[in-house]
Amino acid sequence: MLAIGVVLAGRVTAPYKATGTLSASSNPLVEGQEVRGTSIDFFESPAGGTARLINERLQTDAFIERIAEAAGLTESIEAGGLLLDDIRSRVFARDIGETLLTIEATWSDPETTAVLVAVTIEQYLDFVLTTVSEDAEAAVDFYEDRLAEATAQAADAGLAYDAFVRSLPVLAADAELPLSDQLQLSRLNDRVINAQSQIDDSSAAIEASQLSVIQSRSEAGKTLVMIDPPQVPLEPESTSSTQILLLGAFFMLGVVLAAATLLLSTRLDDSVQTAGDVETATGSHVVAAVPRIKALRPPRRLPWKRKSQPTRSALASRLGS
């Protein structure tokens, strides 16, 4: 088993490791701005809570798929040569202090390693920005729909007003319109004014919502501040610890297997070795035993001519006969 461990330890490939260091000291998730779906527990530090949130996002397939796409690994996944779990198991976040955390990735390719760290940070920030501005962006869409409706209503009201004015008869300079025509003209004019008022209100609401989007995204952009951007690693990581653990595991496995084999062979061995074995096989009391004297032993025979050691059952049958 130790030999197998040596062979496998020699085949261990050294991965590359890239790290990006971030600061969460101005994290709005701790207090103030609410981000739907993300909350830091009371006992967590800003860095610890943010690291946990990133690791939770890494457990979702949608988040990993976006990372794979940004890192250029989609073709490998579609071809079946790479699984999402392969990426998930090699990227993680951890806090290294009250406000500092790192995003770490290991991969066989140094460029891909650095890209994985960079796109993980980018995708998490995009998630936060999208989350904090969802309500404001929904409001923008709502008021844009209202603006389109108000614009259409204003156009219809204007056309109706113009058509009614053209349908009026030509009056003398001192003549007045009939009361019914005056009321209809007033109603049509009110429709134009109301439609224009809705246009103005919707436009103002759109501007306010867009400003809210900008403000919320600007504040959320301070969630993570890059301290040390990820760099392409120049040398692979050391594999000594992995090799030592592998050798130790196979050594212990060999010891366990050897002990189990010895115990099993001892339990299954029914040959006569001691005087106690004779008593067990025959049920008779052994009075004396002739010791083996090396000088009186017969010459050693060839292996294929040696007689096999009698078993307890064979010895009992001989003595019984």
Side-chain angles (χ1 to χ4, degrees), residues 7 99 148 162 165 236 270 272 286:
V7 173
T99 60
D162 293 340
V165 170
D270 61 350
V272 178
V286 176

Side-chain angles (χ1 to χ4, degrees), residues 2-67:
L2 185 59
I4 296 175
V6 171
V7 173
L8 294 179
R11 295 181 180 179
V12 174
T13 57
Y16 291 87
K17 179 180 179 180
T19 303
T21 304
L22 309 168
S23 172
S25 58
S26 58
N27 194 329
L29 305 182
V30 179
E31 57 183 0
Q33 191 176 41
E34 291 292 332
V35 181
R36 187 183 298 107
T38 60
S39 60
I40 290 184
D41 296 334
F42 176 76
F43 58 87
E44 286 182 316
S45 64
T50 304
R52 176 181 59 80
L53 293 172
I54 294 175
N55 289 328
E56 288 178 355
R57 298 300 302 175
L58 287 170
Q59 300 307 310
T60 63
D61 289 346
F63 192 75
I64 291 293
E65 287 173 355
R66 289 196 295 270
I67 291 177

Side-chain angles (χ1 to χ4, degrees), residues 26 42 46 56 78 107 110 133 148 196 226 232 246 266 274 277 300:
S26 58
F42 176 76
E56 288 178 355
E78 293 177 350
W107 204 260
S133 60
Q196 186 60 47
M226 183 73 71
V232 177
L246 194 60
T266 302
T274 64
D277 294 339
R300 177 176 294 180

Side-chain angles (χ1 to χ4, degrees), residues 50-235:
T50 304
R52 176 181 59 80
L53 293 172
I54 294 175
N55 289 328
E56 288 178 355
R57 298 300 302 175
L58 287 170
Q59 300 307 310
T60 63
D61 289 346
F63 192 75
I64 291 293
E65 287 173 355
R66 289 196 295 270
I67 291 177
E69 182 180 359
L73 301 175
T74 304
E75 292 184 359
S76 298
I77 294 176
E78 293 177 350
L82 185 65
L83 300 176
L84 294 179
D85 287 339
D86 295 332
I87 303 175
R88 183 179 290 114
S89 63
R90 300 184 187 184
V91 183
F92 65 94
R94 65 184 181 93
D95 59 305
I96 57 175
E98 182 72 17
T99 60
L100 295 180
L101 66 146
T102 61
I103 309 295
E104 300 179 4
T106 56
W107 204 260
S108 57
D109 175 54
E111 287 77 13
T112 303
T113 307
V115 170
L116 284 174
V117 176
V119 298
T120 300
I121 297 172
E122 177 183 343
Q123 291 300 318
Y124 180 73
L125 283 176
D126 182 68
F127 156 72
V128 173
L129 295 178
T130 302
T131 304
V132 299
S133 60
E134 275 183 348
D135 292 339
E137 289 178 346
V140 171
D141 295 337
F142 171 75
Y143 286 115
E144 285 181 347
D145 292 339
R146 287 193 59 182
L147 176 62
E149 294 176 0
T151 302
Q153 291 175 2
D156 293 341
L159 291 175
Y161 183 86
D162 293 340
F164 181 75
V165 170
R166 287 195 299 270
S167 66
L168 294 175
V170 179
L171 300 176
D174 56 347
E176 293 185 357
L177 285 173
L179 182 59
S180 59
D181 291 341
Q182 294 181 14
L183 293 175
Q184 180 64 15
L185 190 64
S186 176
R187 284 195 293 268
L188 292 174
N189 185 61
D190 289 342
R191 283 183 57 191
V192 172
I193 294 175
N194 291 334
Q196 186 60 47
S197 176
Q198 290 181 11
I199 291 175
D200 296 339
D201 293 342
S202 298
S203 299
I206 289 174
E207 292 180 0
S209 299
Q210 289 175 339
L211 180 60
S212 177
V213 171
I214 295 173
Q215 290 176 339
S216 60
R217 293 176 70 89
S218 176
E219 293 174 5
K222 300 175 184 178
T223 299
L224 296 177
V225 178
M226 183 73 71
I227 303 298
D228 296 323
Q231 303 292 333
V232 177
L234 301 177
E235 296 180 355

